[in-house]
Amino acid sequence: MYKHDVLIIGAGLAGLRAAVEATRLGLDVAVISKVHPVRSHSNAAQGGINAPLTDRGDDWEGHALDTIKGSDYLADQDAVEIMSSEAGDAVIELERMGVIFSRGEDGRLGTRRFGGQLVARTFFVGAITGSAILHVLYEQALKHGLNVYEEWFVTDLIIEDGRCVGVVALDIKTGTLHSIWAKTVIMAAGGAGRVFEPSTNAIICTGDGLALAWRAGVPMMDMEMVQYHPTTLARTGILLSEAARGEGAHLLNSEGDRFMLKYAPQYEELASRDVVSRSEQTEINEGRGIDGNVLLDLRHLGREFIEDRLGYLQEVAVEFLGIDLAEQPVPVRPGVHYIMGGIKTDVDGATVVPGLYAAGECANVSVHGANRLGANSLLDTVVFGRRSAVHAAEYIKSVDAGSGSDEHLNATKARIQSLMDREPNENWAAVRNYMANEMTKGIGVFRDQASMEGAKAAIRNVNERMPNIAIQNKGKVFNTDLIFSLEMEFMADVGNAIVHSALTRKESRGAHFRTDITERDDENWLKHTLAYHDPDNEDGVRVETSPVTITKWEPVKRVY
Amino acid sequence: MNSKLKVSRFDPETMGSGQRRWDEFEMDLHPSATVLDALIQIREEVDGTLALRCACRASICGSCGMRVNGEAKLVCKTRIADVTEEGTTIVIEPMGNHGIIKDLVVSLDPFFDKVRQVDPYLQPDEEPEQGEFVVNNDSMENLLTAMNCIMCGACVSDCTVLEVDEAFIGPAALAKAWRFVEDPRDDQRDERLKELNEVEGGIWDCTRCFKCVEVCPKDVAPMDRIMEMRDMAIEAGNRNTSGYRHTESFSKSVKKHGRLDEARLAVESAGYTNIPRLIDLAEIGVKSVLKGKMPPIVPHKADENEKITRIFERVESERNT
Ligand SMILES: Cc1cc2nc3c(=O)[nH]c(=O)nc-3n(C[C@H](O)[C@H](O)[C@H](O)COP(=O)(O)OP(=O)(O)OC[C@H]3O[C@@H](n4cnc5c(N)ncnc54)[C@H](O)[C@@H]3O)c2cc1C
Ligand code: SF4
Ligand code: SF4
Ligand code: FES
């Protein structure tokens, strides 16, 4: 039987940071991940990680205010204060572990500018920041001899007497199911971009963690807040980092105008992402786009600069489009990138289910509110990854391990067997592609009642088809057909929570911009939406609201 | 665009190890489609049993290493149009030098074991009292070459030494080792070099075949990293290895005779006091003589030997200044 003090689901930055901390505290820790740790999607982060370093003149309150303003005042300010004030130490610690951040002439860490901020406080490694940090955290995991269940897929959480005491998981390489028991479980299973199409997210970002916690009774908070990144490639959705604009790239419309000067005179191309994406979409909708795109122009930065500081972007542009950024502007458009919403946690990562913690993109603390600032997500993962481990370690002092019974394992075995036994009928890929396209249509950069109702109908259609999804592959070893079908179930739950939360919020705030109600309404909607799993309700969802925590920054109108 | 793909299949549940089956697929693809797009389309629409790994689709996660037309590549950054012409078939196989789990999925356990073998983490004697390590930015940027490595395994797949010698640490893990040897924050440089110099399968086992440089999708150029470590190891005073003696004997022979004295090279590499190895060599020598392949005991001099000697002298004097 597999048994640990702390089991962490996910080996991205949030999961590995939590693991390193828990290991240092002397606990028996294991990480479980459906892909090898270094394949986790954190490796895709290009641009950088924000941190106000107080020892060189920045103040954390400035970063907090930028974050809160970026969030359109939906972030909980107590959580933001924690993130901003712990940021400096978190980044310095990564450097000491071995991250080779770019430096200035003086040999100390250097910065670049990122969106929604006038201060340059984004620390970076070329355009491979996420990969560089993920590999270093993996090195630390190797150093500490961390247990890793690698290429194991979590299918269920084990809940006993209302407490989370482990998981049931499928070993992908052998096709066998196991239970893994733990005194506490930290969910760090990443985002859900694949609920939409196209998206900048990896194929593995299917919202598993969100759905698993949701089924266990934890609400998903502010799920309508889906970030569209302003500079993604058409067709594939692959990202060109905000670092391009941070380093001075311009956005042009078909007439060659830098249109952001009009929409955001002070911040220009570096306004908040929701603002830039809406501006681009407006240009496109009003006929000043080029085949549904605008242009990102880096030519004036010069070849050497581009290759040195933005090498990976150049690689992507050349490999995927055949465009040399030093010679030609590249067509880009808004694309789904990040989910601000997530499993509701407190500032220590705890959820309402005892024993279940959450951190990283799947969690919602909430520090990003209605719109996340670029380079704040990596910060979120390391700050709250660490905190959740510290608090989980406290928690386990007073609890016993679970029963060790085979009941949960057997239930999952039966469920999967019945899935495998279905007669060939509906294919998961067809259902997923339909859902993802409809979600992008309905829950877009701009949305209204009708479009959101359309997405809701699509999700209903998906849920009706779900019981007919059959698995063509009957083998045990590396049966991705089975994995994708299980992921499809998770995605449908996430989609469901998104449409119901979106329909609930009757205002425009941050990423949730309704063309039928265009104003922010602090009087009625300075609130979080909480989507609960409720089989007795229509579509199995119940949406409630809860107040936003304001400490010292009263909401004012957002101008960039 | 109409494309034909021939895909290597292996199912451990129905086939014996070493067996494979070829499946052919014909499909219509977007002109800028990648090999990965094609494989995903097969998996989603034609054959759900096809096993492959992929995640990011953007050449950063390192999941999708495979052999395309015989060479290791990341299939997500390989465009169909670049590996085929109208009418030809693209051949897709799992990476080499890795055990096959199913179809295009290989086991990377040995790969990561070797990464583990080089103690792949920063080992400073002490940390700064406050703030970050203060080091020169150029020395950090220098490390980016190796930091670009995404552990995809392509270099290992096509490494010609690993094909015959499983003990070789291999290009990826050695590039990783270089990253720490070159990091000014690390205080184990000498120990690392000593170990890499002496250990079985260390820096001297690479034959400089260039394959890893050719196939690496991230320009890590592992071979160059290995060669740099050889120099560093020698400079750090690690001379008691066959590798070092091999290099010395090699250059001595070329300097003196203008060409390679193969017999002497073998003996000098082993070391004149390494009796067991010399006995082995004697055996090889006898066999070579019998097959008429023994190099002459006293090598002929190259025609313009003096020129070569001068080149050597010049390089040596430049090195010393
Ligand atoms: C292209 C791109 C660029 C970005 N650039 C930046 C940037 O510059 N700065 C920034 O701050 N943010 C950036 N972000 C956002 C940021 O990278 C992510 O939000 C963050 O890395 C998420 O980390 P995580 O640890 O929460 O999740 P991930 O890194 O996604 O890890 C999730 C883990 O959970 C595991 N998992 C999931 N489901 C299961 C299951 N069922 N069973 C077992 N394991 C499971 C996975 O295997 C994986 O290990 C970017 C995002 C993208 C897509
Ligand atoms: S150059 Fe050396 S490490 Fe690279 S493939 Fe050839 S033998 Fe292997
Ligand atoms: S060195 Fe290059 S080919 Fe080898 S694992 Fe790293 S990225 Fe892949
Ligand atoms: S899918 Fe990530 S490198 Fe190819």
Side-chain angles (χ1 to χ4, degrees):
Chain A
M1 192 167 69
Y2 300 108
K3 222 168 145 181
H4 303 280
D5 291 333
V6 183
L7 179 66
I8 298 162
I9 307 176
L13 290 190
L16 288 181
R17 184 63 194 82
V20 167
E21 196 66 21
T23 313
R24 281 180 184 165
L25 294 170
L27 303 175
D28 170 2
V29 187
V31 166
I32 183 166
S33 171
K34 62 182 177 179
V35 294
H36 184 282
V38 302
R39 317 285 180 227
S40 301
H41 195 52
S42 289
N43 61 22
Q46 302 170 3
I49 178 167
N50 286 335
L53 288 191
T54 42
D55 64 350
R56 52 211 74 173
D58 199 354
D59 71 315
W60 68 261
E61 286 173 325
H63 174 254
L65 176 57
D66 286 343
T67 301
I68 290 161
K69 179 179 170 189
S71 82
D72 220 349
Y73 293 91
L74 189 62
D76 284 325
Q77 298 185 0
D78 54 341
V80 176
E81 288 187 18
I82 287 174
M83 182 172 79
S84 298
S85 58
E86 292 186 6
D89 287 345
V91 167
I92 293 297
E93 188 174 33
L94 291 174
E95 194 281 330
R96 289 170 170 215
M97 286 179 185
V99 179
I100 50 171
F101 286 114
S102 179
R103 284 159 205 267
E105 291 289 314
D106 58 355
R108 310 193 72 186
L109 301 190
T111 51
R112 64 162 49 122
R113 242 189 95 196
F114 244 63
Q117 313 179 68
L118 291 173
V119 179
R121 54 164 84 92
T122 305
F123 296 87
F124 65 100
V125 187
I128 55 161
T129 312
S131 174
I133 301 177
L134 183 66
H135 281 261
V136 167
L137 280 177
Y138 178 62
E139 290 163 15
Q140 293 296 308
L142 290 179
K143 176 175 162 190
H144 293 294
L146 180 72
N147 304 298
V148 184
Y149 296 91
E150 187 186 302
E151 298 198 307
W152 283 47
F153 181 87
V154 176
T155 61
D156 297 271
L157 296 179
I158 301 178
I159 308 288
E160 279 181 350
D161 305 325
R163 273 174 50 211
C164 184
V165 288
V167 305
V168 177
L170 180 79
D171 177 353
I172 299 173
K173 283 183 237 171
T174 62
T176 39
L177 280 162
H178 302 269
S179 7
I180 307 174
W181 296 84
K183 292 184 183 161
T184 176
V185 172
I186 300 176
M187 185 65 80
R194 302 299 288 177
V195 173
F196 294 79
E197 182 68 38
S199 139
T200 63
N201 284 199
I203 291 166
I204 52 177
C205 300
T206 47
D208 309 4
L210 292 147
L212 284 165
W214 193 60
R215 291 174 193 174
V218 187
M220 291 195 234
M221 183 160 88
D222 298 330
M223 291 300 286
E224 66 279 20
M225 300 306 178
V226 176
Q227 179 162 78
Y228 280 77
H229 193 290
T231 54
T232 71
L233 302 182
R235 201 173 76 82
T236 56
I238 290 172
L239 179 80
L240 289 178
S241 171
E242 187 165 298
R245 283 171 289 134
E247 301 283 13
H250 297 154
L251 286 168
L252 307 177
N253 62 18
S254 62
E255 289 156 16
D257 290 336
R258 274 183 69 191
F259 55 87
M260 283 314 298
L261 304 185
K262 174 173 77 187
Y263 297 101
Q266 195 188 0
Y267 286 68
E268 304 173 346
E269 275 85 356
L270 287 176
S272 272
R273 287 179 176 173
D274 59 327
V275 174
V276 180
S277 284
R278 270 196 298 283
S279 308
E280 290 180 358
Q281 199 59 51
T282 305
E283 291 294 304
I284 295 165
N285 292 351
E286 291 177 0
R288 291 183 298 278
I290 301 134
D291 297 333
N293 294 295
V294 295
L295 296 174
L296 180 69
D297 188 1
L298 284 81
R299 287 173 298 179
H300 54 285
L301 301 179
R303 177 174 307 280
E304 202 185 311
F305 185 88
I306 292 172
E307 280 168 5
D308 276 2
R309 305 261 290 195
L310 302 166
Y312 175 69
L313 267 67
Q314 173 77 328
E315 180 185 326
V316 166
V318 171
E319 299 288 342
F320 295 94
L321 292 173
I323 287 181
D324 176 350
L325 296 176
E327 301 278 333
Q328 245 183 302
V330 51
V332 293
R333 64 173 179 191
V336 167
H337 179 59
Y338 183 86
I339 181 124
M340 274 74 73
I343 306 162
K344 179 177 165 46
T345 72
D346 67 14
V347 294
D348 300 326
T351 70
V352 291
V353 173
L356 182 62
Y357 289 75
E361 188 166 343
C362 69
N364 189 350
V365 185
S366 98
V367 287
H368 309 304
N371 170 67
R372 168 176 77 87
L373 292 191
N376 259 0
S377 172
L378 296 187
L379 179 60
D380 170 11
T381 64
V382 289
V383 167
F384 293 101
R386 188 190 73 82
R387 288 179 71 92
S388 61
V390 170
H391 290 272
E394 267 316 297
Y395 165 82
I396 62 171
K397 288 182 183 157
S398 59
V399 297
D400 308 322
S403 69
S405 111
D406 277 340
E407 185 192 334
H408 314 275
L409 180 63
N410 291 336
T412 306
K413 276 186 182 161
R415 184 165 68 88
I416 290 188
Q417 195 53 51
S418 77
L419 232 170
M420 296 290 285
D421 291 343
R422 280 184 204 155
E423 285 303 312
N425 191 336
E426 193 86 74
N427 164 322
W428 66 266
V431 179
R432 182 333 272 185
N433 294 341
Y434 164 77
M435 176 185 81
N437 284 310
E438 292 301 313
M439 286 296 288
T440 307
K441 264 190 240 163
I443 314 290
V445 174
F446 292 114
R447 46 191 82 161
D448 61 15
Q449 188 72 22
S451 77
M452 293 186 286
E453 293 283 356
K456 183 167 101 176
I459 294 288
R460 278 191 186 155
N461 172 302
V462 164
N463 278 316
E464 279 161 21
R465 289 159 74 181
M466 204 68 81
N468 301 328
I469 290 184
I471 292 159
Q472 192 186 355
N473 186 351
K474 303 293 179 198
K476 284 180 99 53
V477 177
F478 228 91
N479 187 341
T480 43
D481 215 9
L482 169 63
I483 302 290
F484 294 145
S485 303
L486 295 169
E487 286 174 347
M488 184 60 227
E489 294 176 1
F490 294 141
M491 285 193 275
D493 282 353
V494 174
N496 204 2
I498 292 174
V499 293
H500 282 277
S501 306
L503 279 161
T504 303
R505 187 175 289 280
K506 308 249 175 337
E507 63 158 353
S508 283
R509 184 184 297 272
H512 182 68
F513 192 94
R514 299 180 57 140
T515 50
D516 50 355
I517 315 175
T518 57
E519 293 302 313
R520 192 174 89 189
D521 176 0
D522 286 341
E523 204 167 309
N524 296 303
W525 285 104
L526 189 58
K527 283 178 188 162
H528 298 296
T529 58
L530 296 173
Y532 287 86
H533 178 47
D534 183 353
D536 297 333
N537 238 30
E538 192 191 29
D539 298 329
V541 194
R542 184 181 80 248
V543 184
E544 296 180 2
T545 61
S546 72
V548 172
T549 307
I550 306 284
T551 56
K552 49 182 146 186
W553 294 278
E554 281 305 319
V556 292
K557 192 170 161 53
R558 211 161 57 123
V559 184
Y560 282 103
Chain B
M1 151 173 192
N2 187 277
S3 311
K4 273 192 233 142
L5 279 84
K6 195 168 132 186
V7 181
S8 168
R9 305 295 303 268
F10 167 69
D11 180 357
E13 292 170 74
T14 59
M15 295 157 91
S17 82
Q19 285 185 311
R20 69 156 76 170
R21 181 181 88 226
W22 291 101
D23 280 356
E24 294 206 21
F25 302 92
E26 207 173 326
M27 51 211 310
D28 198 33
L29 294 164
H30 190 275
S32 67
T34 61
V35 173
L36 180 62
D37 291 334
L39 292 171
I40 288 179
Q41 196 175 324
I42 293 172
R43 181 168 80 177
E44 292 190 355
E45 294 170 16
V46 188
D47 185 352
T49 69
L50 177 66
L52 61 124
R53 287 196 186 100
C54 60
C56 71
R57 308 163 297 131
S59 71
I60 193 70
C61 76
S63 303
C64 70
M66 292 170 210
R67 271 190 177 156
V68 179
N69 295 339
E71 189 164 87
K73 289 188 182 306
L74 292 180
V75 291
C76 70
K77 76 178 256 191
T78 305
R79 276 187 290 182
I80 296 272
D82 296 336
V83 287
T84 182
E85 283 158 24
E86 205 57 53
T88 59
T89 302
I90 304 169
V91 181
I92 299 160
E93 301 164 89
M95 289 194 288
N97 293 333
H98 293 93
I100 303 174
I101 295 176
K102 181 169 195 268
D103 298 337
L104 302 167
V105 176
V106 296
S107 168
L108 284 162
D109 293 347
F111 177 98
F112 283 104
D113 285 346
K114 285 181 177 163
V115 171
R116 224 170 269 138
Q117 192 187 333
V118 303
D119 295 338
Y121 36 81
L122 197 69
Q123 293 176 294
D125 286 345
E126 52 188 46
E127 298 206 330
E129 248 166 57
Q130 252 203 334
E132 69 273 43
F133 286 94
V134 177
V135 289
N136 178 294
N137 189 42
D138 290 342
S139 64
M140 287 286 115
E141 277 188 358
N142 172 39
L143 300 180
L144 271 180
T145 1
M147 218 43 232
N148 271 318
C149 171
I150 53 174
M151 305 268 147
C152 67
C155 54
V156 165
S157 160
D158 289 13
C159 171
T160 48
V161 167
L162 276 167
E163 217 172 284
V164 291
D165 178 9
E166 280 183 15
F168 182 36
I169 299 176
L174 287 173
K176 185 85 178 171
W178 176 91
R179 174 245 172 287
F180 292 102
V181 166
E182 278 286 79
D183 193 323
R185 300 169 298 179
D186 193 273
D187 288 314
Q188 294 296 307
R189 184 175 193 271
D190 291 348
E191 291 76 0
R192 289 180 189 275
L193 284 170
K194 188 165 183 301
E195 170 74 13
L196 292 165
N197 184 63
E198 287 167 7
V199 73
E200 192 195 354
I203 47 180
W204 295 101
D205 281 12
C206 162
T207 57
R208 312 180 67 160
C209 76
F210 214 73
K211 259 293 178 192
C212 56
V213 181
E214 238 169 68
V215 299
C216 173
K218 291 283 157 184
D219 294 334
V220 175
M223 184 189 83
D224 298 350
R225 310 283 82 80
I226 298 169
M227 293 312 129
E228 285 170 37
M229 286 194 291
R230 285 186 181 176
D231 285 349
M232 292 187 253
I234 293 172
E235 268 163 40
N238 297 289
R239 303 210 160 158
N240 188 28
T241 58
S242 60
Y244 171 69
R245 285 189 297 269
H246 180 94
T247 319
E248 271 300 284
S249 172
F250 196 106
S251 56
K252 226 162 64 189
S253 164
V254 176
K255 183 177 172 187
K256 204 160 151 202
H257 307 291
R259 60 169 54 144
L260 200 55
D261 178 354
E262 286 176 60
R264 182 178 294 265
L265 181 68
V267 174
E268 288 192 348
S269 299
Y272 286 110
T273 51
N274 185 350
I275 308 298
R277 179 67 189 142
L278 289 176
I279 294 174
D280 283 354
L281 281 174
E283 241 175 75
I284 297 173
V286 170
K287 281 187 195 150
S288 307
V289 170
L290 292 179
K291 287 191 180 157
K293 285 190 179 157
M294 183 67 181
I297 303 286
V298 180
H300 311 293
K301 287 205 171 190
D303 297 341
E304 299 193 85
N305 189 29
E306 301 75 36
K307 278 193 192 158
I308 294 172
T309 309
R310 256 182 278 135
I311 293 174
F312 263 83
E313 282 164 5
R314 208 164 109 202
V315 171
E316 277 165 3
S317 81
E318 273 175 15
R319 259 208 180 171
N320 294 337
T321 53

